[in-house]
Amino acid sequence: MLKAIREQIPRTQEELAVDLGIDKSTIQGWESGRRPLSSTKAGNLVVLRRKPILLGAPTGLVGLISLSMDADFILGEILRSRPSKAEILEHPLAGWVLTRDTTHMIGWAVSGILPGAVAVELGIPAPDMGRSPPRPSSDRTCARDSSTISSTPQTW
Protein backbone atom coordinates (compact mmCIF):
# COMPACT_ATOMS: atom_id res chain seq x y z
CA MET A 1 0.00 0.00 0.00
CA LEU A 2 2.74 2.44 0.94
CA LYS A 3 4.57 1.83 -2.31
CA ALA A 4 1.39 2.67 -4.25
CA ILE A 5 1.00 5.86 -2.20
CA ARG A 6 4.67 6.79 -2.62
CA GLU A 7 4.52 6.28 -6.38
CA GLN A 8 1.45 8.54 -6.64
CA ILE A 9 3.25 11.49 -5.03
CA PRO A 10 5.83 10.64 -6.78
CA ARG A 11 8.80 10.18 -4.46
CA THR A 12 11.69 7.77 -4.12
CA GLN A 13 12.02 5.83 -0.88
CA GLU A 14 14.81 8.16 0.17
CA GLU A 15 12.81 11.33 -0.61
CA LEU A 16 9.75 10.06 1.26
CA ALA A 17 11.90 9.09 4.24
CA VAL A 18 13.24 12.67 4.38
CA ASP A 19 9.70 14.09 4.04
CA LEU A 20 8.43 11.88 6.89
CA GLY A 21 11.51 12.39 9.04
CA ILE A 22 12.31 8.67 9.23
CA ASP A 23 15.09 6.39 8.01
CA LYS A 24 15.00 5.00 4.46
CA SER A 25 15.27 1.46 5.87
CA THR A 26 11.93 2.02 7.64
CA ILE A 27 10.25 2.80 4.31
CA GLN A 28 11.94 -0.25 2.76
CA GLY A 29 10.76 -2.43 5.64
CA TRP A 30 7.18 -1.19 5.38
CA GLU A 31 7.04 -1.67 1.63
CA SER A 32 8.59 -5.15 1.71
CA GLY A 33 6.48 -6.34 4.64
CA ARG A 34 9.49 -6.96 6.89
CA ARG A 35 8.35 -4.22 9.25
CA PRO A 36 4.58 -4.26 9.88
CA LEU A 37 2.78 -0.94 10.12
CA SER A 38 0.85 -2.24 13.11
CA SER A 39 4.04 -2.11 15.20
CA THR A 40 4.64 1.58 14.38
CA LYS A 41 4.26 4.23 17.09
CA ALA A 42 0.90 6.01 17.04
CA GLY A 43 2.50 9.42 16.47
CA ASN A 44 4.35 8.12 13.41
CA LEU A 45 1.09 6.69 12.04
CA VAL A 46 -0.55 10.11 12.28
CA VAL A 47 2.33 11.61 10.28
CA LEU A 48 2.12 8.70 7.82
CA ARG A 49 -1.58 9.41 7.25
CA ARG A 50 -1.30 13.20 6.94
CA LYS A 51 2.01 14.02 5.29
CA PRO A 52 1.46 12.05 2.02
CA ILE A 53 -1.82 13.94 1.50
CA LEU A 54 0.05 17.23 1.86
CA LEU A 55 2.56 15.91 -0.70
CA GLY A 56 -0.24 15.20 -3.20
CA ALA A 57 -1.22 11.57 -2.57
CA PRO A 58 -4.89 10.75 -3.22
CA THR A 59 -6.79 10.98 0.08
CA GLY A 60 -8.80 7.85 -0.71
CA LEU A 61 -5.63 5.83 -1.21
CA VAL A 62 -4.12 7.12 2.03
CA GLY A 63 -7.41 6.27 3.73
CA LEU A 64 -6.85 2.61 2.85
CA ILE A 65 -3.82 2.46 5.18
CA SER A 66 -6.09 1.23 8.00
CA LEU A 67 -7.23 -1.74 5.92
CA SER A 68 -3.64 -2.42 5.01
CA MET A 69 -2.64 -2.38 8.69
CA ASP A 70 -5.42 -4.85 9.55
CA ALA A 71 -4.22 -7.16 6.77
CA ASP A 72 -0.59 -6.87 7.94
CA PHE A 73 -1.57 -7.66 11.51
CA ILE A 74 -3.67 -10.68 10.55
CA LEU A 75 -0.98 -12.08 8.25
CA GLY A 76 1.60 -11.62 10.99
CA GLU A 77 -0.59 -13.55 13.43
CA ILE A 78 -1.14 -16.32 10.90
CA LEU A 79 2.60 -16.65 10.25
CA ARG A 80 3.57 -16.80 13.93
CA SER A 81 4.86 -20.18 14.99
CA ARG A 82 2.72 -22.36 17.25
CA PRO A 83 0.57 -19.96 19.28
CA SER A 84 -0.61 -21.12 22.70
CA LYS A 85 -4.26 -22.05 23.28
CA ALA A 86 -4.87 -18.69 24.99
CA GLU A 87 -3.31 -16.86 22.03
CA ILE A 88 -5.51 -18.80 19.60
CA LEU A 89 -8.61 -17.50 21.40
CA GLU A 90 -7.29 -13.94 21.02
CA HIS A 91 -6.34 -14.41 17.36
CA PRO A 92 -7.96 -11.80 15.08
CA LEU A 93 -9.53 -14.50 12.93
CA ALA A 94 -11.25 -15.89 16.04
CA GLY A 95 -12.82 -12.63 17.14
CA TRP A 96 -12.90 -10.10 14.31
CA VAL A 97 -15.50 -9.70 11.61
CA LEU A 98 -13.46 -8.93 8.51
CA THR A 99 -14.77 -6.61 5.83
CA ARG A 100 -14.56 -7.54 2.18
CA ASP A 101 -11.97 -4.80 1.65
CA THR A 102 -9.80 -6.21 4.45
CA THR A 103 -9.94 -9.71 2.96
CA HIS A 104 -9.01 -8.24 -0.43
CA MET A 105 -5.98 -6.56 1.19
CA ILE A 106 -4.93 -9.91 2.64
CA GLY A 107 -5.46 -11.48 -0.78
CA TRP A 108 -3.26 -8.80 -2.36
CA ALA A 109 -0.40 -9.73 -0.04
CA VAL A 110 -0.84 -13.44 -0.77
CA SER A 111 -1.78 -13.50 -4.46
CA GLY A 112 -0.64 -10.16 -5.83
CA ILE A 113 -4.16 -9.36 -7.10
CA LEU A 114 -4.82 -5.65 -6.64
CA PRO A 115 -7.94 -4.96 -4.54
CA GLY A 116 -10.75 -3.10 -6.26
CA ALA A 117 -10.66 -0.25 -3.71
CA VAL A 118 -6.97 0.36 -4.48
CA ALA A 119 -7.49 0.06 -8.24
CA VAL A 120 -10.25 2.68 -8.09
CA GLU A 121 -7.98 5.10 -6.21
CA LEU A 122 -5.17 4.50 -8.70
CA GLY A 123 -7.51 5.05 -11.64
CA ILE A 124 -7.06 1.51 -12.95
CA PRO A 125 -10.19 0.38 -14.80
CA ALA A 126 -12.00 -2.75 -13.64
CA PRO A 127 -11.38 -5.81 -15.82
CA ASP A 128 -13.88 -6.38 -18.62
CA MET A 129 -16.06 -9.29 -17.55
CA GLY A 130 -17.71 -9.68 -20.96
CA ARG A 131 -21.10 -8.60 -22.19
CA SER A 132 -24.07 -8.43 -19.87
CA PRO A 133 -26.99 -10.73 -20.70
CA PRO A 134 -29.92 -9.01 -22.40
CA ARG A 135 -32.48 -7.51 -20.05
CA PRO A 136 -35.98 -8.99 -20.13
CA SER A 137 -38.62 -6.94 -21.91
CA SER A 138 -41.60 -5.50 -20.06
CA ASP A 139 -43.92 -8.12 -21.61
CA ARG A 140 -43.05 -11.75 -20.96
CA THR A 141 -44.27 -14.83 -22.77
CA CYS A 142 -45.56 -17.65 -20.63
CA ALA A 143 -43.80 -20.87 -21.62
CA ARG A 144 -46.83 -23.01 -20.76
CA ASP A 145 -49.39 -21.63 -23.19
CA SER A 146 -47.41 -18.99 -25.12
CA SER A 147 -49.80 -16.28 -24.02
CA THR A 148 -48.39 -12.84 -23.30
CA ILE A 149 -48.42 -11.64 -19.71
CA SER A 150 -48.49 -7.87 -19.36
CA SER A 151 -46.34 -6.33 -16.68
CA THR A 152 -48.70 -3.37 -16.39
CA PRO A 153 -51.21 -3.51 -13.53
CA GLN A 154 -54.77 -4.45 -14.47
CA THR A 155 -57.79 -2.53 -13.20
CA TRP A 156 -60.90 -4.61 -12.51
Side-chain angles (χ1 to χ4, degrees):
M1 175 56 62
L2 290 177
K3 182 177 181 180
I5 291 170
R6 179 177 57 79
E7 290 174 344
Q8 289 296 303
I9 297 175
R11 294 280 196 279
T12 64
Q13 288 179 338
E14 190 170 304
E15 291 169 336
L16 185 58
V18 169
D19 290 335
L20 296 176
I22 58 176
D23 191 70
K24 178 184 171 184
S25 65
T26 301
I27 299 285
Q28 291 171 335
W30 286 339
E31 288 186 4
S32 68
R34 289 188 322 264
R35 183 175 291 177
L37 277 175
S38 59
S39 64
T40 304
K41 293 179 183 177
N44 290 343
L45 287 175
V46 171
V47 172
L48 185 61
R49 288 183 171 172
R50 301 295 177 225
K51 188 70 171 197
I53 293 171
L54 295 174
L55 296 171
T59 56
L61 195 59
V62 174
L64 295 173
I65 287 176
S66 291
L67 292 174
S68 181
M69 286 176 44
D70 284 350
D72 281 351
F73 182 77
I74 292 167
L75 287 169
E77 291 294 309
I78 290 170
L79 297 173
R80 278 186 17 182
S81 61
R82 299 214 180 254
S84 69
K85 190 170 190 170
E87 290 172 323
I88 288 173
L89 295 175
E90 294 177 13
H91 192 281
L93 292 177
W96 293 10
V97 177
L98 303 179
T99 66
R100 181 177 63 191
D101 287 337
T102 301
T103 57
H104 288 181
M105 288 289 188
I106 294 168
W108 185 18
V110 174
S111 68
I113 297 173
L114 191 66
V118 176
V120 165
E121 293 299 329
L122 294 175
I124 298 171
D128 184 12
M129 304 304 282
R131 293 184 58 167
S132 298
R135 295 178 60 118
S137 65
S138 60
D139 288 338
R140 298 172 295 184
T141 302
C142 181
R144 183 182 222 176
D145 63 5
S146 299
S147 64
T148 301
I149 301 171
S150 175
S151 62
T152 57
Q154 299 292 321
T155 54
W156 301 98

